[in-house]
Amino acid sequence: MLTGCGALPRHDPEVTFYANGKTIRIEPTIYCDLEGSNCAEKNPPGTLRVPPGEVVQISVDGQLADGLWEVVCVYENAARVQEGCTSPLLGKGENYTYTLAVPDDSDQLLRIEVHEAAGAVLETGQPLMRGSWVVDVTR
């Protein structure tokens, strides 16, 4: 019996998060086509325990690293005020990892998002988001 050789189905890119001795690998919560349209909600956010002041190692697969991506976070400072952080744009085949660190040892991460840029740009010149990988942080 002969079977045709077809391409393997392409899966959505995955992102790995490591903190506090635990690793999780998640698929996107939202993923769109290359132009940033035809978006679909895909998977629920992941959950990771990260104590105050701890860093999170983030690793993306080659499909993401070849394009542009960034890390966005929300954390609570010592005064219990929520603040945000954003990494520089990463990727272009050069960045497969990023270390997310909060400014102070008492700061508590609340949420981490990895955003993949689409092939289109907004009127502001910023890239349109193609995909989002979300991790809700527990203490």
Side-chain angles (χ1 to χ4, degrees):
M1 178 190 282
L2 297 174
T3 58
C5 294
L8 292 174
R10 190 168 175 170
H11 68 84
D12 291 336
E14 295 179 329
V15 177
T16 302
F17 298 82
Y18 172 81
N20 198 39
K22 173 105 171 129
T23 300
I24 60 169
R25 186 167 179 85
I26 63 171
E27 293 182 340
T29 52
I30 297 173
Y31 207 60
C32 311
D33 64 20
L34 283 172
E35 289 76 38
S37 56
N38 298 314
C39 300
E41 289 188 27
K42 298 281 208 157
N43 302 287
T47 303
L48 185 63
R49 184 177 175 280
V50 183
E54 292 291 317
V55 301
V56 177
Q57 300 286 335
I58 300 166
S59 176
V60 301
D61 68 16
Q63 188 176 338
L64 259 163
D66 286 342
L68 292 175
W69 59 284
E70 69 181 354
V71 177
V72 176
C73 83
V74 176
Y75 65 93
E76 186 176 83
N77 65 23
R80 302 188 70 76
V81 174
Q82 289 188 9
E83 298 190 47
C85 65
T86 304
S87 74
L89 281 177
L90 306 162
K92 295 185 179 180
E94 299 173 4
N95 307 103
Y96 289 79
T97 63
Y98 181 77
T99 301
L100 174 60
V102 289
D104 191 87
D105 286 345
S106 62
D107 294 341
Q108 174 65 58
L109 277 168
L110 302 174
R111 180 170 254 217
I112 306 165
E113 296 185 15
V114 170
H115 297 162
E116 177 186 15
V121 294
L122 300 170
E123 291 177 7
T124 61
Q126 290 292 99
L128 188 64
M129 186 177 73
R130 178 181 187 191
S132 180
W133 293 255
V134 178
V135 172
D136 289 326
V137 175
T138 61
R139 297 174 193 214

